[in-house]
DNA sequence: CAAATATACATAAGAATATTATGCATTAAT
DNA sequence: ATTAATGCATAATATTCTTATGTATATTTG
């Protein structure tokens, strides 16, 4: 199952920040691939969504960047800033709370183990 | 806590359809009030979001409508269609699955009871 | 009883954020 | 040699929300 796009909306920044928290230093393409693998292809972040999001996170001061050349190919690494570290914890708490509310509202039972 | 708006995006149709499943027959304003109460004010559906959504659900054939006058005031009741009943089950399954994926991806632990 | 609040519908301008398409370029695989 | 993968990025478009506005009736409160 690939989730319908509306669902993923609103969670992209959180997903990206979390990956940076887990892996210290990542480049854009790497983030898309890791999320794809971690979710067994369920979440596929497109480039048109990713890059504007990364640029927005940088503009908000939540990530910092370093550019490197791997051979002749450019690679732009992103790292969580101190503000970003604070923000990701807040965002995850909010999302966890939201998901509990949705479970209640939609009468979703915890699936049997 | 009132959830940041991005979070709610993509779940509005599901919330509305679920309310109609639970309550058979509701009008727009009633839906906003019920959701507000059920979520202890955490989710407040604005009219600018609600009415276009209801119209879209009607255009998709997921709900049917009946208009009634209560005194001189008009009231438009919405009821889930057979297609809507099928769709709400699908949407809830998808959302439940998505939330599990997000919990895993964001390393969210089940909160202690 | 007048004013404020609640009820009840609706649309429109604008913002945010995704999709889809396109572009450029290097490197690896068939 | 061609295709696929890697890697960045932007632009046009679509979707869907917020905020503001509009109209009108009913109820509550000072």
């Amino acid at each position: 199952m690939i989730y319908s796009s509306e669902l993923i909306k609103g969670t992209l920044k959180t997903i990206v920040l979390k990956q940076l928290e887990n892996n210290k230093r990542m480049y854009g393409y790497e983030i898309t691939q890791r999320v794809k693998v971690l979710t067994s292809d369920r979440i596929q972040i497109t480039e048109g969504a990713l890059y504007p999001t990364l640029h927005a996170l940088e503009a908000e001061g939540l990530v910092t960047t370093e550019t490197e050349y791997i051979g002749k190919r450019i690679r732009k690494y992103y790292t969580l800033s101190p503000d970003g570290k604070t923000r990701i914890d807040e965002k995850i708490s909010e999302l966890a709370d939201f998901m509990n509310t949705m479970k209640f509202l939609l009468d979703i039972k915890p699936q049997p183990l």
Side-chain angles (χ1 to χ4, degrees), chain A residues 94-111:
Chain A
E94 188 190 356
L95 184 56
D97 194 291
F98 175 70
M99 292 195 297
N100 282 332
T101 297
M102 289 301 287
K103 274 190 184 170
F104 166 69
L105 198 57
L106 300 180
D107 205 25
I108 295 173
K109 303 280 187 287
Q111 69 286 277

Side-chain angles (χ1 to χ4, degrees), chain A residues 18-30:
Chain A
K18 179 64 181 179
Q19 286 308 305
L20 293 176
E21 188 183 51
N22 284 352
N23 304 285
K24 308 288 180 197
R25 191 163 171 278
M26 298 179 89
Y27 53 98
Y29 188 77
E30 187 184 12

Side-chain angles (χ1 to χ4, degrees), chain A residues 74-88:
Chain A
I74 205 168
R75 198 177 270 180
K76 198 165 166 185
Y77 280 99
Y78 291 83
T79 306
L80 215 52
S81 72
D83 275 2
K85 283 181 190 177
T86 305
R87 201 77 190 83
I88 182 58

Side-chain angles (χ1 to χ4, degrees), chain A residues 6-50:
Chain A
E6 321 95 74
L7 271 188
I8 300 168
K9 294 188 186 195
T11 59
L12 184 54
K13 277 187 184 176
T14 306
I15 291 170
V16 168
L17 289 174
K18 179 64 181 179
Q19 286 308 305
L20 293 176
E21 188 183 51
N22 284 352
N23 304 285
K24 308 288 180 197
R25 191 163 171 278
M26 298 179 89
Y27 53 98
Y29 188 77
E30 187 184 12
I31 295 172
T32 66
Q33 297 309 301
R34 179 159 291 274
V35 169
K36 188 172 141 89
V37 169
L38 284 173
T39 64
S40 306
D41 291 10
R42 287 188 187 83
I43 297 181
Q44 298 189 22
I45 303 174
T46 60
E47 294 168 297
L50 178 72

